[in-house]
Amino acid sequence: MQTAKSQTFKDKANKVMGISKEDALLTKSYIFVAFAALLLGGILGLIQGLNRAGLLELPSWLNYYQVLTAHGLILVVVLTAFFTIGYFYASLSHTLGGLLPKVRTMAWIGFGLKIVGFVLAVIPIIMGDASVMYTFYPPMAAAPMFYIGLALIVVGVWMCAFGAFIQVANWRRNNKGQHVPILAYFATGVFILLFFGSVPVAIEVIVMIIPWSFGWVETINVMVARTLFWAFGHTLVNIWYLTAVSAWYVVVPKIIGGKRWSDTLTRVVIIGLVVMNITGGFHHQIIDPGIAEAVKFMHVFMSLAIGFPSLMTAWAMFAVFEKTARKQGEKGLIGWYKKMPWGDVRFLAPMIAMIAFIPAGAGGIAQSTNQLDQVVHNTMWIVGHFHLTLGMSVVMTFFGISYWLVPYISNRVLTPQINKLGVIQTWIWTIGMIFMSGAMHWVGLLGSPRRTSFTTYGDNATALSWSPYLMCLAVGGTLLIIGVLLQVYAVVNMMFFAPKGETEFPIAEEEENASKTPYWTERWGLWIVVMLLVVAMAYVIPLTEFIVNAPPGSPPYKTW
Amino acid sequence: MKQFLYGLFILVFLALPPVANLMESVMIIHMHMQMPLLIITGFLFARLFQLRFPRFFEKWNRNGIPGIILFGVIVTYWTMPRSMDEALTTQGMEVFKFISLPILAGVPLRDSWKKLKPIVKNIVFYFFIFVFFGMGWLYIDSPVQLCNNYLIIEQITLGWGFITTAICMVIYLIYVAFVDPTKYE
């Protein structure tokens, strides 16, 4: 009882005093690295886009694939991982009454490991020894240092995941029988996925690729490596998505002046995404050889199953908008949109992110369907798809979060000027991404391949017909770099220069007449076992086939 | 009644020839997906039976032991290569599969599980871990085809499916043994 009381006092103190200095510094460091990565990755993206459109000749010491590898690694691994961890550690600190000292230490060790790993991975990329692209599939082989760097990043992420588990377990011991606060619950789901999702890629890199790239073993089983990679790759995608979703469910309702709708639904969505996620990776291999047609067909179910929680999310979000608007006196079928604070960047950015997820999710469903994927696999369509999902739905939500999170951890405020800048940035980003991603989707349908630098294939008519679309791509990319510059400026301003003051951590409350959330939602141990069972069932077929009927294996190749 | 209808819907869906053919075309999907789904349909049927025939369950399955033994017998029977082979070659066996797994395994499982003492529940887990490791070893290690209908590679896949499922059960038991829920709930 005593602990429960002191906990509530701590909670109250936390609300009044804001985040502790040590916890703020931790999140600040993570967020700073994330946005530094955005700047660097954005510039590389521009170079890559201009080159791909045939507008920019790269100097002889720089190679398209080298730029692609760096752009991918910096944005896909560094930006997202650092933002996700920084954001969720601030959430854990805020909702669970401050981080435990040992948890904070773990997060700092994780920070160090990731930075060291990142530097180790970047050196060979700069030297031109690791232009394997960010998916680093064998048989293309980079210098061993690249893989050692990646392995260290994974270990760093694990440190942070276990730190979060310790923090949540400690809170639960002190608050018996209570539900973990919703943002901490999201954090739990995300860190479970981060840990279990990165186990396959750790096996791939440490057990298979590193000995092979050193030359200790001669050949590698390419199909097994790809399978392990995508078990991780697809999960990673959904980790970012789940991070964005957490802000949609918890933060957006608060900003529009509403309440959270159905706590049970929210938690079921999280459990669903965690349990069904890892197996979704298989749809990235739908065109791969060595897998029976029937198995690929069965896997369509596994992939579409992930779409289901997303549809529940869409439902919940529109319910929140409508309920909030009706409380404010709005009538009519879709009149809610008039009551939304469109001039507030903290709402606008995540809202456009959500809207973007409608076509993005639909595209994803098309791609995970065997027959439809035959048309677009390995074309620019796929690149367009993940720029729409990651570049819009996820990253725009991150941007929206930054406009309150950065002032919150810096004890500063969001000024009207920066808000206005944010709104302009959001629209520039939106238009840029519509141009770029739209052009990528379309040119992909016309057959333009991905992972290929600019070529007209000896002035082949079909290849020449792609040029107008590639030009659109370059226009979009140029707008996006303006967006990047504005965003990075806003973050630096809010972190170091904005006026001092209190900023609230916006967490919406549950509705008054909400039904009680059942306690089984807290039994993560059970859900993890269910998840492992689903993973085992899904991967036992292809992996057994690839290992028992293994092809001779491949020596390392340097194709660049 | 709602649950019963859901169960019936799943059962009919699973029995549709294209669905049944697809699932039975891959050995591990036949055993580790179609059959558990059939048990789940029975699970959904059980509520209606419990409401309609309370005295029957009260009389024959008071402590849950008879029901769980019936469940164990039926499930173990369907893990055997021969039974699966016969389901594919003899129409009567296929019908028996679609009846026995829901009615004789799914229904008793639901009626029994809540009545069982924790120790008996654990014994059930031990039994199935033992059976699953055993069947896994059999299917992986057998040098010859055990089913006329499935190739050796499919057999090995099924074997690993058994082993991984057994490992999951072991993980669950370790979790139950080492995490004390009273500390948190």
Side-chain angles (χ1 to χ4, degrees):
Chain A
M1 200 57 213
Q2 191 58 38
T3 35
K5 248 186 196 164
S6 63
Q7 194 66 31
T8 36
F9 175 72
K10 210 173 170 188
D11 281 346
K12 277 182 190 160
N14 208 35
K15 265 185 194 140
V16 178
M17 313 279 284
I19 190 167
S20 80
K21 260 193 183 155
E22 293 94 338
D23 295 358
L25 182 67
L26 178 74
T27 294
K28 233 194 253 180
S29 311
Y30 270 94
I31 299 289
F32 185 81
V33 173
F35 282 96
L38 175 73
L39 181 64
L40 197 58
I43 294 169
L44 290 166
L46 178 71
I47 296 173
Q48 197 190 332
L50 294 179
N51 178 252
R52 185 67 176 78
L55 293 171
L56 176 79
E57 189 85 28
L58 291 179
S60 59
W61 45 268
L62 199 61
N63 169 306
Y64 176 80
Y65 300 99
Q66 201 177 353
V67 180
L68 197 165
T69 309
H71 169 72
L73 188 73
I74 289 172
L75 292 184
V76 163
V77 178
V78 182
L79 164 67
T80 52
F82 276 81
F83 188 92
T84 299
I85 294 170
Y87 162 69
F88 275 126
Y89 264 77
S91 311
L92 290 175
S93 165
H94 178 74
T95 59
L96 305 184
L99 296 178
L100 300 170
K102 88 176 145 188
V103 170
R104 207 182 298 126
T105 312
M106 287 174 79
W108 276 117
I109 294 172
F111 184 85
L113 283 170
K114 279 182 295 228
I115 293 284
V116 173
F118 174 63
V119 171
L120 286 183
V122 158
I123 293 170
I125 297 178
I126 296 173
M127 310 259 289
D129 289 332
S131 304
V132 287
M133 296 178 277
Y134 69 98
T135 43
F136 58 87
Y137 293 141
M140 279 200 290
M145 202 204 281
F146 175 76
Y147 301 113
I148 293 171
L150 293 182
L152 280 179
I153 294 178
V154 169
V155 177
V157 167
W158 287 353
M159 285 304 278
C160 297
F162 280 97
F165 298 152
I166 292 171
Q167 180 79 26
V168 172
N170 175 65
W171 187 90
R172 287 188 63 195
R173 266 197 299 274
N174 293 332
N175 297 271
K176 274 184 196 175
Q178 288 188 41
H179 285 278
V180 173
I182 189 69
L183 260 186
Y185 193 84
F186 267 106
T188 313
V190 161
F191 283 113
I192 288 173
L193 272 185
L194 262 175
F195 174 69
F196 285 100
S198 53
V199 169
V201 81
I203 296 173
E204 184 207 1
V205 168
I206 296 168
V207 179
M208 297 177 71
I209 294 185
I210 289 181
W212 170 72
S213 68
F214 269 115
W216 299 335
V217 292
E218 278 178 18
T219 60
I220 195 165
N221 188 327
V222 174
M223 291 309 295
V224 172
R226 283 172 71 87
T227 308
L228 292 174
F229 178 84
W230 278 120
F232 154 77
H234 186 78
T235 312
L236 187 62
V237 178
N238 276 258
I239 287 165
W240 314 324
Y241 168 66
L242 193 54
T243 310
V245 167
S246 75
W248 300 354
Y249 271 108
V250 182
V251 177
V252 169
K254 177 79 176 176
I255 289 168
I256 64 174
K259 299 262 166 99
R260 280 200 304 120
W261 185 74
S262 183
D263 187 63
T264 311
L265 178 132
T266 315
R267 289 175 201 252
V268 169
V269 164
I270 300 169
I271 293 173
L273 280 173
V274 169
V275 168
M276 299 188 289
N277 222 314
I278 298 178
T279 56
F282 194 84
H283 65 233
H284 291 253
Q285 294 178 275
I286 249 173
I287 306 292
D288 278 12
I291 305 159
E293 218 45 3
V295 175
K296 286 178 178 173
F297 188 74
M298 301 302 295
H299 263 279
V300 171
F301 282 91
M302 297 307 303
S303 297
L304 294 186
I306 310 171
F308 191 68
S310 300
L311 292 175
M312 284 162 77
T313 303
W315 170 268
M317 295 322 298
F318 283 115
V320 169
F321 296 147
E322 193 182 337
K323 282 192 162 190
T324 311
R326 283 199 197 285
K327 257 186 208 158
Q328 294 168 6
E330 192 51 57
K331 293 191 176 72
L333 193 61
I334 50 163
W336 55 264
Y337 78 90
K338 289 182 212 155
K339 290 282 178 194
M340 296 295 125
W342 296 100
D344 186 342
V345 64
R346 298 171 308 159
F347 167 76
L348 182 70
M351 183 65 192
I352 295 182
M354 281 185 240
I355 294 170
F357 199 68
I358 297 171
I365 287 175
Q367 280 149 241
S368 49
T369 308
N370 193 353
Q371 294 88 331
L372 295 178
D373 189 59
Q374 312 274 339
V375 182
V376 295
H377 200 87
N378 274 341
T379 70
M380 285 296 278
W381 165 287
I382 305 293
V383 187
H385 169 72
F386 64 69
H387 278 89
L388 196 57
T389 47
L390 174 59
M392 258 184 121
S393 298
V394 170
V395 162
M396 285 184 87
T397 306
F398 288 4
F399 291 173
I401 292 170
S402 74
Y403 288 98
W404 55 263
L405 180 63
V406 176
Y408 169 77
I409 52 176
S410 315
N411 270 325
R412 292 172 195 275
V413 290
L414 170 65
T415 57
Q417 292 82 6
I418 291 291
N419 181 52
K420 199 166 183 191
L421 181 83
V423 171
I424 296 170
Q425 193 277 344
T426 305
W427 284 115
I428 291 178
W429 191 273
T430 307
I431 296 166
M433 206 47 107
I434 288 173
F435 263 98
M436 192 175 88
S437 170
M440 284 169 167
H441 274 92
W442 200 262
V443 80
L445 281 179
L446 298 177
S448 180
R450 73 184 283 206
R451 294 196 182 104
T452 309
S453 66
F454 179 72
T455 167
T456 58
Y457 298 91
D459 283 349
N460 176 289
T462 307
L464 287 175
S465 76
W466 299 333
S467 289
Y469 300 97
L470 296 175
M471 209 57 76
C472 271
L473 187 160
V475 170
T478 313
L479 284 171
L480 286 171
I481 194 70
I482 299 171
V484 166
L485 294 174
L486 292 179
Q487 177 63 33
V488 172
Y489 170 75
V491 167
V492 171
N493 182 291
M494 289 184 290
M495 205 176 263
F496 302 110
F497 303 108
K500 288 270 179 191
E502 291 290 320
T503 295
E504 181 200 16
F505 195 114
I507 294 181
E509 283 165 19
E510 263 188 274
E511 285 180 327
E512 295 86 5
N513 54 356
S515 57
K516 201 178 162 338
T517 308
Y519 198 76
W520 49 257
T521 50
E522 294 294 330
R523 299 210 169 92
W524 275 113
L526 179 65
W527 300 122
I528 289 173
V529 173
V530 174
M531 176 187 79
L532 291 176
L533 201 59
V534 172
V535 173
M537 287 290 93
Y539 277 106
V540 73
I541 302 176
L543 281 179
T544 310
E545 169 74 30
F546 294 151
I547 294 169
V548 176
N549 286 339
S554 174
Y557 282 99
K558 194 173 169 180
T559 50
W560 62 96
Chain B
M1 193 62 194
K2 226 182 192 176
Q3 280 191 18
F4 184 85
L5 289 177
Y6 290 148
L8 195 64
F9 174 77
I10 299 175
L11 185 66
V12 171
F13 178 77
L14 290 174
L16 291 176
V19 178
N21 283 344
L22 177 71
M23 296 190 103
E24 286 160 7
S25 69
V26 182
M27 191 179 194
I28 186 167
I29 292 176
H30 186 182
M31 190 180 284
H32 280 189
M33 215 149 108
Q34 190 196 48
M35 291 187 189
L37 281 171
L38 287 173
I39 295 174
I40 289 171
T41 60
F43 213 78
L44 294 168
F45 290 160
R47 192 78 202 118
L48 187 73
F49 288 139
Q50 283 171 330
L51 293 175
R52 281 285 166 87
F53 314 109
R55 298 239 333 268
F56 175 83
F57 287 104
E58 178 58 30
K59 186 175 174 193
W60 294 99
N61 197 24
R62 185 176 306 155
N63 54 8
I65 303 282
I68 205 70
I69 289 176
L70 179 61
F71 170 78
V73 169
I74 294 292
V75 170
T76 312
Y77 172 75
W78 282 110
T79 58
M80 287 172 193
R82 161 111 199 211
S83 57
M84 212 166 34
D85 231 4
E86 281 189 332
L88 291 175
T89 31
T90 318
Q91 199 69 28
M93 279 303 282
E94 179 77 351
V95 173
F96 177 62
K97 182 175 79 186
F98 273 81
I99 294 171
S100 64
L101 283 168
I103 304 297
L104 300 180
V107 173
L109 175 66
R110 179 154 177 185
D111 189 62
S112 300
W113 193 251
K114 282 198 172 154
K115 296 177 183 171
L116 295 178
K117 289 181 193 143
I119 175 78
V120 185
K121 284 183 182 171
N122 280 353
I123 290 172
V124 174
F125 271 114
Y126 297 143
F127 171 73
F128 277 106
I129 289 170
F130 177 74
V131 169
F132 274 38
F133 272 120
M135 296 311 285
W137 172 70
L138 169 73
Y139 281 111
I140 293 170
D141 214 36
S142 163
V144 290
Q145 228 173 300
L146 295 171
C147 281
N148 284 326
N149 289 289
Y150 296 111
L151 300 175
I152 286 193
I153 178 71
E154 297 228 41
Q155 207 164 285
I156 298 171
T157 308
L158 177 62
W160 282 109
F162 269 115
I163 301 276
T164 47
T165 311
I167 291 171
C168 286
M169 285 195 273
V170 171
I171 293 173
Y172 179 72
L173 284 189
I174 292 173
Y175 162 69
V176 172
F178 285 95
V179 177
D180 178 7
T182 56
K183 275 188 183 167
Y184 300 97
E185 293 177 11

